[in-house]
Every structure is written in structure tokens, then in C-alpha cells.
């Protein structure tokens, strides 16, 4: 425990946290001081009389008065006494004055002879200057009084502290009695003296002294005035408050008002090695030592008037700022703290870390607030107080195996399936193999998730055991040994055990498992009896842990920090939704819930009806056409035998024009179905009636699909403009899909249209961590899994220069722009103009997105999608069909050699060459508009690996982005070109 | 085949000709209106010798700052009677505030973080929000939170084909809500069934021809509402006649970002990307007044949101540069700029609204804060 404090606080010092405290702290007290300082001088007289009375009645002051005269001797004597034997509480009142002396001795760590005179003289000078020693005596007494209140045990150390206290109060007495102008000089002198003494024994002493000093000041300042309202005290109040602030700024730490000093002393005892950081560590130790104190004070209203309205006294109820300790009365608290977005902080303190001593009070509401606000409001405040990022435990305050944690490590610790309970600042040991967790120097307190990469390696003396029995390199404590013996583990011969997280143990150097700790019937009972931890249920199922990666709750403030947003945009039909679905299937344990799958199934089925409808419509059209042709043939040359190019398909010559049967004709049953379906489609209510209809019409569909007329129509599907290319995938399995027990496969879902809503934005969170069956997760992976990505797909509609909502995405890390390669021969009607090439539309869209002010300096990844389709298509249809690509001449060898060095070994296909050509086109366009580099990747949206590698490439770019500064420009460009072709 | 192609071309030609005619008629209408519009409100008021309202720097003061959002605030709404505010922010949360204590009472995590609008129901028991997910979500504030402490969505109003840009409950009716959307339509919803009661505009070319950005329902006659759109027009609708707009108001030269009915229900104000606010009369269809600050050479910043004081004498307008002007509607003069007083917002003022009794103004900004401004001193609410 002591060592915990000492070294832990040393760490804090290194970080200079306390400096910020100082800065912010100087605010409130100053505003408070200035108005008050002047009036107090005026009011001194009336206040004085009251105080004297109070103090008298408060204490049986006889001992105090006596010692004042024989100051020097007594004090010296007394201090010696003090040092030798632990003083009883009864002594303390008398000891007050001597205390001063004594302290100096303490400070010098016992070498009274040389140093103490120094400080004593300083003090004495102060005393002699001042006329009424009585007062100083009083003051001293008060200090002592306080001490006796605040202390519970009487140990030597405590007594010494007590003495320190009284000493400092004396010095205050001096200082304010010298108010004339040199009031503070005495005090400073004094501290100087201490400083000198401190020189001899390391700065720690000096610091301690000054700390006490400051603390005492504050104490007197805030909590005492009502008690002893003598003129001096009031004066001192003013003085001190300024002094306090100077101390604060000097020490860079908020000195709490408590006079509970044990931690200081323990610190001194322990912290002999780290003398450099002591200044701050004192404060830290202290703060963590007396968490309850300030709060109680506030409750008791000891703190004097409200910081804002300066009204009220210590008895009025007040709320305390958890950062700067400012106190506000019920009238002012809402004004001073505003809407409390981070809990009970002054408006000016918002965003600053809290006073560690108040951590225990986070989320605990005071009566004052309960009176002012309703239940819901209080809930929100307390929630904010506990959960907001600024109030979280700074990671460096927690040491695991002697190493302060980094932010990531703390996140790991917090987000593991079985985190340590009630993590407080301090020093812990952690056995990574078995998951044992405990405070430094103590037996294990809990079994947390094993194999977390936090902290350093465990030390043998981590739990301060002396049994010579080791578990995973840690010497275990007696209690543990006892437990082992009780559950029947052979511990003779001081064995070294390896204990795994599942409780299996083996002796060091031996392969075979000796048994399972928790397998024994009474093991858990024994542990409970010896208050040793037992593994929690979830800890045993390692496989589950990894699985729950998605589900486990990462606190909001952590989630926000580790979330990287990727924006996926693309023109209509560029395959963004396929990529989104693919990512879902790739990275989600359950990509689609049962409900979603049901919806998808319905969607696929209704799509299929739509495709069928289009086919049937086409059939009617073809039938009419054929009949019309037939009629025209008949009229042109009356011969029924005349056969036109189309008529060979006729199965039966229709001699009269009314009843003609063509190859496209269908029977009456199918005809009626066809009519019904087409009517439903025309009315647009297919979606409304279709689920009910599936059962009824399922057999019809099968007949329909097998019908020759439909097959013939299907063979002419290229002429049906409305029928999407994916339709054939589903139509060919129509009968299967329309069964009621049909379950869409992942591939079906990928192919299906309209599964992801094309109307609105959709997003998914994922991480790249692969579920690994064995529990040996490498460190890198674990860090990786913390990095969460959010893929956000937005509809292309309305995205343009004037887009109102694109500015909502200024926080995305990267824009992934999707272009379908196979679009180069496609045309669509844009607005009222003539049909435009879809590739050119994509280009226009691309230009408007990359030049949008929101995406200034944004990284862009261009995904050239549908590479598979493109490869097929380019063999038949020249790329130059799109005017943007009219200078593509793949036959010349120039392109091949220019192409890419990575492809030189294998003869690149036409598709690859064309892809490179298009990629370069886009890259040039991009750099001409933005002057930066475009990342390009080719993707086959339907292939999982292809999408996976593209998204991992995106991750690499982001990582690279963070490290970019370290590389030279040339390296950078090499990297990017190579990477851009890496996924083909 | 060829015949058909011809007919398509023919039709297109006819359509073009018709569009041409419409445009020329529209132009004639505009000319005619200009002739009729020989004066504006300010001109008349000046002629009558009226003087502008005077505002000292302390007459309207920031008395509360509502901190708690961690993202840009996009929208806010007051409850009709009690002093509560709902605000929507890019941090993906709706927060319900008690305006008097400036404390939060609810923080609702939204299923889709990209939220654009929020509204309080007339009875104050539920809130609605909408955004880029194209769904308007209703939350019942009295329903119990789930295990993560989040309030569940009690109703999803889905059917829009574009983002939901604005929503407002029909006054006095907790079951009806009007939304505007990026799919160029406005929709009247029946919340109990979750279905669309009427769709205004859209497929038939009678409505807006671009994204609709805001709606405002008349306080006097809840069957009438106006909508403002990226097509630079505002349209007046009657909820009983969904097929066509009652009136289309031209005049703005940029997207109409905000519309708000005048308290008397016979006029409405608009705020636009062109930097102006305008006042239109719904009975005559005339534009009554333009509120435009004469800037120097630099471009005027866009109006993001507007609100009228309870009497209509003041028009509060938030601008994209962080200004927030208080206009005297009668004299068309800026009487106060809330962006230049102490404690003003540090970023775009994205939304503003007046409390039901008119005693306080709440502004929301991209600096993540909301501020409540109240009439200070002995100035009476106007």
C-alpha cells in the first residue's frame, strides 16, 4: 500500500499533470480573494472579540497559554519527547507551539543540532516582532485542535504530522500578526529555513514542509474562520488565501483542505529512491489518501461562504466543484456550473481532469442537487459525471507490474470480457498467464481476462510472498499456499507452478498437466473462505470471448476515439451496396439477423416476381410483334405458306387473323396468372399482395418457367431493357426461391437488389480482427481489434455541389469512391438531356465529390468495381466507346511495357491493361484537381477476398497516413503506386 | 418500332414547348407582381412615421448555455407549454433539456447519428427525429429504457426516399406529423399506424422540384402548411388536397432553408441561401418584404433558421457565419445582432426557436452549444 502510493504518484509528477491544476485553480480563489480582502481589514475588530470567545469555549485552553512563554526550551524538549515516544492525544494541545521547532527537526530527519536552530530563529524573529504571543498560541492550539479532530490513530508518524500542522499554523499566526507589510516575510523566511534544511536531506523534505504549509493555510483559510474569528484570523484569512494561491501555483497542485496527513508521512518513509518527482508525488499521495475529507467538509458547510455570491457561512449547504474545489450555495450552483455536461464542475473547469481525491464521489449525488433538480436531471448529471471522457482515470495513474499504462492498454483493460473491478489509481500486479490480478504487495484480489498485453512482466515479489512457492514466476502469499494445500496440490519442495487461465497447473520444466485448480470440489469454497478470487464464469470460455468482440460494450468515450469512419459513395449502379453487404458478411459474426434474413427473403422473392413480370410483359410484346408480322405477311402475299424470317418459330400457321398461336403463346391458366401479375405490377401494389400470393402461385411459377414460350422469351432477354443482368441468377432458380422454406444464401443476398435501402444512409461498425480459435492473440492483433471502423454508405442521390448534408461527413477518415468499370458502354438519361455515358456521369460525380469543400485534404480510395464483368466485356466491346477513353490503344506494346512492373512476369490480359489505363485516367484527373495522390484498387464486388483486400488496403492507407511524416516523399510515391495495384 | 421512337421524340418536344410556355407565363406573372408591388412593408411603415424598435445590448441577454452535446447541433424544438427543449446533434443524440435549470432530462442515442431535425409532440410526451436514414423516428419519453440505458424507438415512419430534413407535429394533434424530405416531397403521417396519410409533391410534377428543406404548419389553421425547398420556392399546401400546392412563392435566389408561419397565420417568413429573409402573404401571394443586410463586397452569409417573436414584430434569423440578427419586421431594420454580443456562438447558428410564451429564444449552433436568450430588464415581451 505505501509503496503503491509513492511510486504511483511519482509517475504523475513526470507528466506534469499538476501544472494544469495550478493554472486553472488560480482562477476561483483569486476572484474570491480580491473582493474580500479589503472589507476584512475594516471588520477586524468586531470579528476578533467573537473569535476569542469561541476558541475559549471550544477548548479548555489552559495548556495552550502556558507554553507560550517558555517557547524555546519547551518546544525543543517536547519535540524530543515527541520523537521518542508516540504522543498521546492529550499532549497535542501543548505540543502545538513546540511543534514548530519539532517540525523543523522532523524535516531535517532527526538532525536537530545543525538545522533546527535555523528555522527556529526564523520563527522566533517572527514571534518577537509580534506583540501578542497569546494569539499565536491560540492559533497553534487551533491547529492542534484540528489535528485531534481529524486523526484516528496515534502513531508516532501521525504525531509528527500533527506537529507539522501546528507549526504551520504558528507561522500563520506570525505572518498575519506582522500584517503591517512584512507579514508574509516571516513565513517565507520560515520556509526558506526549511528549504535549507531540506538541502541536506533531499528536496523531499522541503517539499513536504511547504506542502504542509500550504495545506494548512488553506485549511485555516477555508474551514476555520467561523471558529476563530479573531481579528488576526480574519486578517490571516486574506493573507493566506493569497498565499495559498501562490503555493498552488508554485506547487502546481490543488491542495485539499484536509489535514489528514498520513499519506505524506508514509510517502516519505517509502519514497527514498525517486527523489526527483517528489514534489508532485506528495500531493498525489495525499490526495489519494483522504478522499472523503473534502466532501464531508462541503456537507458540513465548513467552507465558509459561497464562491459566487459570497453569502452564507459554513453551515449553508453547498456543492463542490470536482476540479477546483470551489463551493457554491444552492442559489448559485446552477449558475456557476451551468448545464453540467461533465458533472459538477464550474463552467470554467469543464474539460479539465478532476481532482483525484474526489474520484470516489463521482456519480454520488448530494442532497443539495436532489433538492434543486428532479430525478431525471440528476440521473443525467451523474451519468455524465461518471462517463464523460474528461473525468476518466488517466491511464498513467495505473501501474501494472511496475509499468504505467498507456491509453491503449487501459482501453484493453476496460474492454476485456472480465475487467478488474473498481479500478483506482494505484500499483497492481497482473499474471498474464492465469489472469490473477491484485494490488502490489498483496494477495490476488480477482481473476481477470488472461493474456492482455498490459503493463510489464510480473515480478517475483509482486505480491510480497515469502513462501518460496511460485506461480507463473510470482512468489505466492501464505494464504494462497494454504489454499493450494487445502485443495490438495503437492507443495512440498518449494515447487514452481505454471497455472493456466483454465486452472490447469503444471510444474515448471514438466510437460504434463498435474491437475486443475478449480476442478476440485471444494476449491471454490476454500477460496471463498480465504477471500481469494475464483474465476468468473465468462473467463473460462475463451472461445466466446473473441466471438463477443462485437457485442462487448466499449464505453462511449472510448468508442468515439477509436472509431474510424469510411465513407462509401458511388453513382447509382456502381456496386456500393454489394460492397457494403460483402463487408457485412465478411466482418460480422452474424451479418444478418433472423428478421433481416426474413426481409431479404421476401425482397428476393418479390424481386423475382418483378423479373417474371418483365419477362411476361416481354412475352406479350414479342407475341404481338410476331402476330403483327404474320398479319403483314399474310396481307402482303396471301399465301399461308409464306414464311418470314420470324415465322419459322411458328408452330401452327394461323389462317385466320383472330386466333393466332405463336411460339410466344401460353395456355389459359398461365395467361390468367400473367394478366394478374402484370395488372398488379401496373398498379404498383405487387409488394402489398405478394407474400400471400406466393403459396398460391408457387406451382404456377414452376410451370411458367418451364413453359417453352417463357424460355424463348428468356433467350431474348437482351432485348428486355428493364431486366437487370442479375435477374438471370434468380430466374434460373425461380422454383427453388419461391418455395416457402427458401433460405437465402450469402451469395443470394449479394446478388439481390434492393436489400440495402437505396433511400437512406446505412452504416456498420466492424473491426478487422479475425476470430482466432486459439487464445494466443498476438499483441498487434489486439491493438488492431480496438481500432473500429465504420463503413458508411450514402445514397448518390442529391450528392452534388449544393449538397446540404455532405458537411456532416467532415470527420470521416477516407472517402471510398466506387465506379463500375463495366459502365463504359452503358448509357442512361440524366435529366432532360440526351443519354449520357455512365462512365462520364461517374466522372462528373467524382469531380464534384473530390472538389467539395468538406473533403478538402481528404484521402480518396477509388474502387474500380465489377472487374470480372469488365474483363468479359472488354473482349467484345472496345473501351473507346466511351469518349473519355478514346486514346486507349492496347495493341501497341507501349502500354504493356509501361503498364506496371509487377505485372511484367505474367502477360497482362486486356482487362488488366484497360484497368490500369482507366486507373491512370482517374489518377491524373484527381491530381489535376486536387494536386494529391489517388489510391486505386480494382474489386470484384461478388468475391469476398477482393472486397476484403480493398478494405484492408483502406486500412493500410489510414495507418500510412499516420506515419507519413516519417517517410520521404519519394518513398511515399513508390509505396502508393505499388499498393494501388496490389489487389488485382 | 420506328413509329414509337418518333412518338417519344414528339412527346419530348411537346413537353419542352409546354415547359417553355410555363416559364414565360411565370415570367409574366413576376412582371405583373412587380408592377402591383409598388411598396413594401418597410416603405409603408416609414411613410406612416413608424420608428424601429430599439434594443440595448442588455435587453436580450444570454441567460443559459446548454452544454452537453459533443457534435454540431442541427435542430431544436420547444415544448408547447412546459419549458423543455429537444435538440439534435451530430454526436448522434437527442437531448431533452429543462430550460429553466439548464439540465438534461433525457439523452437519447439515435440509431442513425446523422440527424437533421427533431420535434416535440404537442403533449410533450414524445419526440420525433429524422435524418439521413430517411426515417422519422418517434421516441416516447415515458417508455422504459433498455438494458444499455437507451430509449427504444417507439415508431419508425419509413417511406421517404430521401433524407428527412424537417419534421413538425400538427398542433394539438399528437398522432399527426408532417415531414419534409430530400425526395422532394412532404408527407403527413399517421403515427398510430405508422403510415403515410398524404404525400405532397413527388411523382406528379405539382410539387417541389428539388429537396424540401423545411416545413411550417400554420398555428391558426393547422390544415395549412408551407414548405421551403432547394428549388428556391416556398409552397403553400392544404393537407386535404395533396395533389397540388395551393400556391407557389417565388422570389428567393437560393435554396429556401427555413420557413416559418407568421403568428397571425396569414403570412410566413422564409430564410434562404441568398442571404435574405422574406415575408410572403398567403392570401395575395405577394412578397411583402425582403430582409437583407447590406454587406460590403463580401458575400452575404446564408440564413439557416428563422423565428418570429410572439407578436411578429421581431424576426430572429440565424446565419451561417454565426450571426443572429433580430429584425424589426415592420421597418426591416436589424435592431440587434446576437452574434456580436458577449457570450455569442462561435460557429454557425444552425437552428433557433422561441418558447411558447415568447419569453425566451433558444439558439443552437455548430459550436455544440445551445443558448437561451431572454428579454432582460423590464422590457416586455413583444
Amino acid at each position: 500500500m505505501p509503496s503503491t502510493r509513492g511510486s504511483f504518484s511519482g509517475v504523475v509528477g513526470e507528466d506534469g499533470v499538476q501544472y494544469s491544476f495550478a493554472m486553472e485553480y488560480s482562477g476561483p480563489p483569486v476572484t474570491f480573494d480580491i473582493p474580500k480582502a479589503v472589507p476584512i481589514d475594516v471588520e477586524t475588530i468586531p470579528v476578533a472579540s467573537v473569535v476569542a470567545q469561541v476558541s475559549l469555549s471550544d477548548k479548555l485552553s489552559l495548556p495552550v497559554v502556558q507554553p507560550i512563554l517558555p517557547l524555546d526550551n519547551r518546544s525543543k524538549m517536547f519535540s524530543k519527547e515527541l520523537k521518542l515516544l508516540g504522543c498521546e492525544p492529550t499532549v497535542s494541545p501543548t505540543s502545538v507551539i513546540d511543534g514548530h521547532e519539532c517540525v523543523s527537526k522532523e524535516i531535517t530527519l532527526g538532525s536537530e543540532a545543525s538545522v533546527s536552530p535555523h528555522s527556529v530563529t526564523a520563527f522566533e524573529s517572527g514571534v518577537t516582532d509580534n506583540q501578542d504571543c497569546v494569539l499565536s498560541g491560540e492559533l497553534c492550539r487551533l491547529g492542534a485542535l484540528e489535528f485531534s479532530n481529524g486523526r484516528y490513530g496515534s502513531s508516532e508518524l501521525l504525531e509528527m504530522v500533527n506537529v507539522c500542522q501546528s507549526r504551520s499554523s504558528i507561522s500563520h499566526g506570525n505572518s498575519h500578526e506582522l500584517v503591517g507589510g512584512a507579514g508574509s516575510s516571516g513565513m517565507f523566511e520560515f520556509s526558506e529555513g526549511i528549504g535549507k534544511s531540506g538541502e541536506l536531506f533531499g528536496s523531499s523534505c522541503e517539499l513536504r514542509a511547504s506542502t504542509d504549509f500550504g495545506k494548512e493555510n488553506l485549511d485555516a483559510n477555508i474551514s476555520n474562520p467561523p471558529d476563530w474569528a479573531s481579528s488576526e484570523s480574519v486578517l490571516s484569512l486574506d493573507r493566506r488565501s493569497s498565499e495559498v494561491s501562490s503555493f498552488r501555483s508554485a506547487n502546481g497542485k490543488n491542495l485539499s483542505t484536509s489535514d489528514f496527513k498520513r499519506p505524506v508521512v508514509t510517502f516519505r518513509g517509502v519514497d527514498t529512491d525517486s527523489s526527483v518527482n517528489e514534489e508532485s508525488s506528495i500531493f498525489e499521495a495525499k490526495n489519494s489518501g483522504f478522499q472523503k475529507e473534502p466532501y464531508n467538509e462541503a456537507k458540513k458547510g465548513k467552507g465558509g461562504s459561497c464562491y459566487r455570491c459570497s453569502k452564507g457561512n459554513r453551515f449553508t449547504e453547498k456543492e463542490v466543484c470536482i476540479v477546483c474545489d470551489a463551493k457554491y450555495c444552492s442559489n448559485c450552483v446552477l449558475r456557476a456550473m451551468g448545464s453540467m455536461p461533465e458533472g459538477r464542475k464550474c463552467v470554467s473547469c469543464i474539460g479539465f481532469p478532476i481532482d483525484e481525491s474526489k474520484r470516489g464521489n463521482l456519480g454520488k449525488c448530494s442532497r443539495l442537487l436532489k433538492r434543486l433538480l428532479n430525478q431525471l436531471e440528476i440521473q443525467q448529471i451523474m451519468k455524465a459525471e461518471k462517463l464523460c471522457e474528461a473525468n476518466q482515470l488517466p491511464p498513467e495513474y495505473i501501474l501494472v507490474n511496475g509499468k504505467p499504462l498507456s491509453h491503449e492498454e487501459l482501453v484493453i483493460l476496460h474492454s476485456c470480457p472480465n475487467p478488474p473491478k473498481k479500478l483506482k489509481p494505484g500499483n497492481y500486479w497482473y499474471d498474464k498467464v492465469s489472469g490473477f490480478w491484485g494490488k502490489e504487495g498483496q494477495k490476488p484480489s480477482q481473476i481477470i481476462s488472461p493474456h492482455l498485453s498490459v503493463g510489464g512482466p510480473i515480478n517475483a515479489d509482486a505480491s510480497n510472498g515469502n513462501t518460496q512457492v511460485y506461480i507463473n514466476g510470482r512468489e505466492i502469499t501464505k494464504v494462497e499456499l494454504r489454499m493450494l494445500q487445502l485443495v490438495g496440490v503437492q507443495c512440498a519442495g518449494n515447487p514452481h507452478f505454471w497455472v493456466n487461465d483454465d486452472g490447469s497447473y503444471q510444474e515448471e520444466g514438466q510437460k504434463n498437466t498435474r491437475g486443475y485448480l478449480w476442478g476440485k470440489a471444494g476449491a471454490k469454497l476454500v477460496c471463498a473462505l480465504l477471500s481469494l478470487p475464483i474465476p468468473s464464469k465468462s473467463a473460462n470460455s475463451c472461445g466466446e470471448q473473441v466471438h463477443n468482440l462485437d457485442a462487448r460494450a466499449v464505453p462511449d468515450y472510448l468508442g468515439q476515439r477509436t472509431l474510424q469512419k469510411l465513407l462509401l459513395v458511388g453513382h447509382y449502379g456502381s456496386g456500393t451496396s454489394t460492397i457494403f453487404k460483402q463487408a457485412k458478411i465478411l466482418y460480422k459474426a452474424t451479418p444478418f439477423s433472423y428478421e433481416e434474413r426474413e426481409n431479404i427473403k421476401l425482397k428476393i422473392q418479390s424481386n423475382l416476381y418483378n423479373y417474371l413480370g418483365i419477362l411476361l410483359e416481354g412475352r406479350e410484346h414479342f407475341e404481338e410483334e410476331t402476330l403483327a408480322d404474320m398479319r403483314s405477311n399474310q396481307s402482303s402475299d396471301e399465301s399461308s405458306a409464306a414464311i418470314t424470317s420470324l415465322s419459322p418459330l411458328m408452330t401452327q400457321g394461323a389462317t385466320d387473323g383472330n386466333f393466332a398461336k405463336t411460339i410466344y403463346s401460353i395456355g389459359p391458366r398461365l395467361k390468367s396468372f400473367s394478366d394478374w401479375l402484370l395488372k398488379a405490377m401496373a398498379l404498383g401494389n405487387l409488394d402489398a399482395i405478394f407474400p400471400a400470393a406466393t403459396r398460391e402461385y408457387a406451382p404456377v411459377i414452376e410451370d411458367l418457367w418451364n413453359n417453352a414460350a417463357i424460355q424463348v422469351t428468356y433467350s431474348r432477354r437482351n432485348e428486355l431493357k428493364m431486366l437487370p443482368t442479375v435477374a438471370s441468377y434468380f430466374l434460373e432458380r425461380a422454383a427453388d426461391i419461391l418455395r416457402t422454406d427458401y433460405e437465402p444464401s450469402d451469395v443470394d443476398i449479394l446478388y439481390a437488389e434492393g436489400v440495402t435501402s437505396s433511400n437512406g444512409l446505412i452504416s456498420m461498425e466492424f473491426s478487422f480482427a479475425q476470430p482466432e480459435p486459439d487464445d494466443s492473440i498476438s499483441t498487434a492483433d489486439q491493438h488492431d481489434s480496438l481500432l473500429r471502423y465504420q463503413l458508411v454508405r450514402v445514397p448518390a442521390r442529391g450528392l452534388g455541389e449544393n449538397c446540404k448534408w455532405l458537411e456532416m461527413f467532415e470527420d470521416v477518415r477516407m472517402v471510398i469512391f466506387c465506379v463500375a468499370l463495366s459502365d463504359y458502354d452503358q448509357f442512361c438519361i440524366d435529366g432532360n438531356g440526351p443519354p449520357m455515358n455512365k462512365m462520364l456521369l461517374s466522372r462528373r460525380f467524382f469531380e464534384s465529390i473530390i472538389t467539395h469543400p468538406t473533403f478538402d485534404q481528404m484521402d480518396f480510395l477509388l474502387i474500380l468495381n465489377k472487374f470480372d464483368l469488365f474483363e468479359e466485356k472488354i473482349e467484345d466491346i472496345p473501351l473507346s466507346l466511351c469518349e473519355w477513353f478514346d486514346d486507349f490503344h492496347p495493341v501497341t506494346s507501349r502500354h504493356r511495357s509501361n503498364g506496371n512492373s509487377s505485372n511484367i512476369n505474367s502477360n497482362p490480359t486486356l482487362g488488366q491493361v484497360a484497368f490500369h489505363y482507366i486507373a491512370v485516367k482517374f489518377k491524373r484527373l484527381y491530381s489535376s484537381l486536387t494536386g494529391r495522390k489517388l489510391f486505386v484498387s480494382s474489386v470484384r464486388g461478388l468475391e469476398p477476398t477482393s472486397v476484403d483486400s480493398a478494405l484492408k488496403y483502406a486500412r493500410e492507407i489510414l495507418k500510412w497516413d499516420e506515419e507519413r511524416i516519417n517517410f520521404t516523399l519519394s518513398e511515399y510515391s513508390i509505396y502508393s503506386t505499388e499498393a494501388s495495384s496490389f489487389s488485382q | 418500332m420506328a413509329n414509337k421512337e418518333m412518338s417519344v421524340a414528339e412527346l419530348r418536344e411537346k413537353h419542352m414547348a409546354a415547359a417553355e410556355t410555363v416559364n414565360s407565363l411565370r415570367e409574366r406573372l413576376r412582371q405583373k407582381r412587380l408592377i402591383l408591388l409598388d411598396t413594401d412593408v418597410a416603405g409603408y411603415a416609414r411613410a406612416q412615421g413608424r420608428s424601429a424598435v430599439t434594443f440595448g445590448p442588455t435587453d436580450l441577454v444570454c441567460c443559459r448555455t446548454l452544454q452537453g452535446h459533443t457534435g454540431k447541433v442541427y435542430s431544436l424544438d420547444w415544448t408547447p407549454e412546459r419549458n423543455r427543449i429537444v435538440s439534435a446533434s451530430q454526436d448522434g443524440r437527442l437531448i431533452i433539456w429543462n430550460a429553466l435549470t439548464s439540465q438534461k432530462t433525457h439523452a437519447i442515442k439515435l440509431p442513425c447519428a446523422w440527424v437533421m431535425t427533431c420535434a416535440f409532440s404537442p403533449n410533450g410526451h414524445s419526440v420525433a427525429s429524422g435524418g439521413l436514414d430517411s426515417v422519422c423516428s418517434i421516441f416516447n419519453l415515458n417508455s422504459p429504457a433498455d438494458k444499455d440505458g437507451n430509449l427504444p424507438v417507439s415508431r419508425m415512419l419509413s417511406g421517404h426516399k430521401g433524407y428527412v430534413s424537417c419534421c413538425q407535429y400538427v398542433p394539438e394533434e399528437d398522432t399527426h406529423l408532417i415531414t419534409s424530405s430530400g425526395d422532394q416531397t412532404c408527407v403527413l403521417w399517421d403515427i398510430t399506424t405508422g403510415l403515410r396519410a398524404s404525400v405532397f409533391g413527388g411523382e406528379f410534377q405539382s410539387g417541389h422540384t428539388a429537396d424540401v428543406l423545411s416545413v411550417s404548419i400554420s398555428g391558426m389553421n393547422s390544415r395549412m402548411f408551407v414548405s421551403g425547398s432547394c428549388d428556391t420556392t416556398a409552397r403553400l399546401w392544404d393537407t386535404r388536397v395533396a395533389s397540388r400546392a395551393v400556391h407557389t412563392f417565388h422570389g428567393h435566389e437560393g435554396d429556401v432553408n427555413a420557413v416559418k408561419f407568421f403568428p397571425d397565420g396569414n403570412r410566413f417568413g422564409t430564410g434562404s441561401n441568398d442571404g435574405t429573409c422574406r415575408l410572403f402573404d398567403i392570401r395575395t401571394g405577394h412578397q411583402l418584404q425582403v430582409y437583407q443586410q447590406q454587406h460590403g463586397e463580401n458575400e452575404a452569409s446564408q440564413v439557416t433558421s428563422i423565428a418570429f417573436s410572439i407578436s411578429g414584430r421581431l424576426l430572429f434569423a440565424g446565419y451561417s457565419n454565426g450571426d443572429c440578427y433580430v429584425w424589426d419586421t415592420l421597418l426591416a431594420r436589424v435592431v440587434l445582432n446576437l452574434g456580436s454580443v458577449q457570450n455569442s456562438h462561435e460557429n454557425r447558428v444552425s437552428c433557433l426557436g422561441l418558447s411558447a410564451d415568447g419569453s425566451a429564444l433558444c439558439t443552437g449552433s455548430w459550436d455544440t452549444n445551445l443558448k437561451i436568450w431572454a428579454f432582460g430588464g423590464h422590457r416586455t415581451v413583444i
Side-chain angles (χ1 to χ4, degrees), chain A residues 711-729:
Chain A
Q711 286 295 328
V712 175
T713 313
Y714 181 61
S715 65
R716 284 178 70 182
R717 61 181 177 275
N718 290 342
E719 291 170 44
L720 301 170
K721 288 267 158 54
M722 293 289 290
L723 198 67
T725 43
V726 292
S728 45
Y729 173 83

Side-chain angles (χ1 to χ4, degrees), chain B residues 222-236:
Chain B
S222 59
R223 286 193 297 267
M224 307 300 282
F225 74 95
V226 283
S227 59
S229 159
C230 286
D231 63 8
T232 75
T233 67
R235 280 169 214 244
L236 177 70

Side-chain angles (χ1 to χ4, degrees), chain A residues 334-335 338-341 350 373 376-377 380-381 556 759-761 792 797 804-805 807-810, chain B residues 65 67 72 74 90 93 98 101-107 114-116 132 134 163 255 257 273 366:
Chain A
L334 289 181
R335 294 292 176 94
S339 48
M340 306 192 208
I350 288 167
L373 303 172
L376 285 169
E377 290 167 336
Q380 293 295 333
I381 294 168
D556 265 354
N759 298 332
L761 165 149
V792 187
R797 182 200 181 97
K804 291 270 168 194
W805 45 268
E807 54 208 5
M808 288 187 182
F809 295 96
E810 60 187 11
Chain B
T65 301
Q67 288 175 295
K72 296 184 270 193
Y74 263 73
Q90 286 301 289
R93 278 170 207 281
N98 180 341
T101 62
S102 71
Q103 298 303 319
K104 304 180 268 266
T105 60
H106 296 80
W114 294 272
V115 59
M116 298 179 100
L132 290 191
S134 306
Y163 59 89
D255 303 355
N257 294 326
N273 265 13
W366 280 11

Side-chain angles (χ1 to χ4, degrees), chain A residues 385-406:
Chain A
E385 192 168 285
K386 276 187 288 187
L387 295 179
C388 80
E389 195 178 351
N391 293 359
Q392 296 312 310
L393 190 62
E396 60 272 15
Y397 283 24
I398 294 176
L399 281 84
V400 173
N401 296 339
K403 189 168 153 257
L405 295 189
S406 67

Side-chain angles (χ1 to χ4, degrees), chain B residues 39-51:
Chain B
T39 183
D40 57 11
V41 172
Y44 182 74
R46 267 194 299 275
Q48 295 288 306
R50 303 291 292 270
S51 58

Side-chain angles (χ1 to χ4, degrees), chain A residues 674-687 689-690:
Chain A
S674 160
D675 287 346
W676 169 80
L677 187 64
L678 290 179
K679 198 177 155 202
M681 278 176 68
L683 290 174
N685 56 358
L686 183 62
D687 286 331
I689 56 169
F690 113 89

Side-chain angles (χ1 to χ4, degrees), chain A residues 101-156:
Chain A
E101 241 260 295
C102 183
V103 168
S104 60
K105 281 177 192 164
E106 294 312 328
I107 290 161
T108 57
L109 281 171
S111 71
E112 313 104 277
S114 59
V115 187
S116 60
H118 204 68
S119 55
V120 169
T121 48
F123 166 68
E124 272 173 352
S125 69
V127 172
T128 46
D129 281 358
N130 118 44
Q131 261 109 23
D132 28 45
C133 305
V134 190
L135 278 168
S136 67
E138 247 176 49
L139 290 169
C140 302
R141 180 172 45 81
L142 276 162
L145 184 152
E146 258 190 30
F147 142 72
S148 56
N149 285 342
R151 205 174 41 75
Y152 307 103
S154 66
S155 69
E156 190 186 67

